Amino acid sequence: MSNSYTTLWTNDLCRELERSGYTGQRLTMLFGGPHQSLPSFQRAGVQPGDRIYPVRVHRTRLHVLGMLEVAHIVPYENAGSVLPDDDYVKLLDWRPLKTGCVTEVLVGPPGAPLTFDAVVPGDLLERLTFTSRRGERLLKYVEDGRLIRSVSLQGIYRLAADSAEELDQLVRRDGPSGGADEVR
């Protein structure tokens, strides 16, 4: 069974991606590493078939930015020799995501289009649930449908199935093309 995860992107990265014209492009790569600023997807338990939802916290609102379904995970040091030419070109296209010490590359088919205006509604924010070996937990620091602090999102966290489904619906509904199923 596949799982779904969130990964928190900084507002600086989001502004850079917006400025550089990435809005509407479909995610095909993500990068992981050993540090809090670029956490390891493998250490978080991500496997091929899992979905990754990059998120951003901006002005007490949680934004879901897109989605990537992981086809395979490649050590960054081997990416040039392991990835087919088409995927290697995508690696170069997504270079703004390569911050810090990169150790792994997540590759997938084109996912949901990148958008910066899909706000998670307050009622969903209040029931957004994550799961781990220790059990389930609600997102912390939510008050009156607003996210007061982003600390409980820093890292890579597995979503409970219901929450993953709701984020997926939000990404597909609010994408710039009107839905992630449409091919560009």
Side-chain angles (χ1 to χ4, degrees):
M1 182 174 151
S2 64
N3 292 305
S4 296
Y5 296 82
T6 61
T7 183
L8 182 65
W9 285 1
T10 66
N11 285 315
D12 286 342
L13 173 60
C14 292
R15 281 189 288 274
E16 174 62 28
L17 291 169
E18 280 184 288
R19 248 191 324 269
S20 299
Y22 283 85
T23 302
Q25 291 190 31
R26 295 175 181 275
L27 286 171
T28 56
M29 303 253 160
L30 290 173
F31 302 90
H35 303 296
Q36 184 176 347
S37 61
L38 189 66
S40 171
F41 289 95
Q42 288 183 307
R43 194 167 53 235
V46 172
Q47 299 289 320
D50 291 345
R51 290 182 172 191
I52 310 297
Y53 295 90
V55 296
R56 161 193 202 181
V57 177
H58 185 63
R59 296 185 177 155
T60 71
R61 300 290 181 217
L62 180 65
H63 298 252
V64 60
L65 306 172
M67 182 275 296
L68 174 76
E69 185 172 325
V70 180
H72 52 278
I73 302 172
V74 177
Y76 182 71
E77 63 191 26
N78 300 340
S81 61
V82 172
L83 292 176
D85 289 344
D86 288 348
D87 283 341
Y88 190 75
V89 169
K90 292 174 190 172
L91 181 117
L92 299 175
D93 286 343
W94 287 103
R95 68 182 162 267
L97 299 180
K98 295 186 328 184
T99 58
C101 300
V102 175
T103 59
E104 61 199 35
V105 181
L106 280 66
V107 182
L114 196 58
T115 181
F116 298 96
D117 57 2
V119 176
V120 175
D123 62 323
L124 172 54
L125 192 63
E126 290 180 354
R127 68 178 182 276
L128 197 64
T129 306
F130 295 91
T131 186
S132 70
R133 288 181 220 142
R134 291 184 243 158
E136 292 190 348
R137 70 167 173 90
L138 291 171
L139 180 61
K140 296 177 184 177
Y141 308 111
V142 177
E143 294 178 12
D144 300 322
R146 299 175 317 143
L147 187 59
I148 306 306
R149 294 187 185 129
S150 63
V151 68
S152 63
L153 285 167
Q154 293 174 351
I156 298 167
Y157 294 103
R158 185 166 41 122
L159 289 158
D162 290 347
S163 292
E165 179 60 34
E166 290 191 82
L167 283 189
D168 196 63
Q169 290 175 7
L170 183 64
V171 165
R172 292 180 187 283
R173 180 183 69 233
D174 287 348
S177 65
D181 295 327
E182 186 177 310
V183 177
R184 287 177 87 193

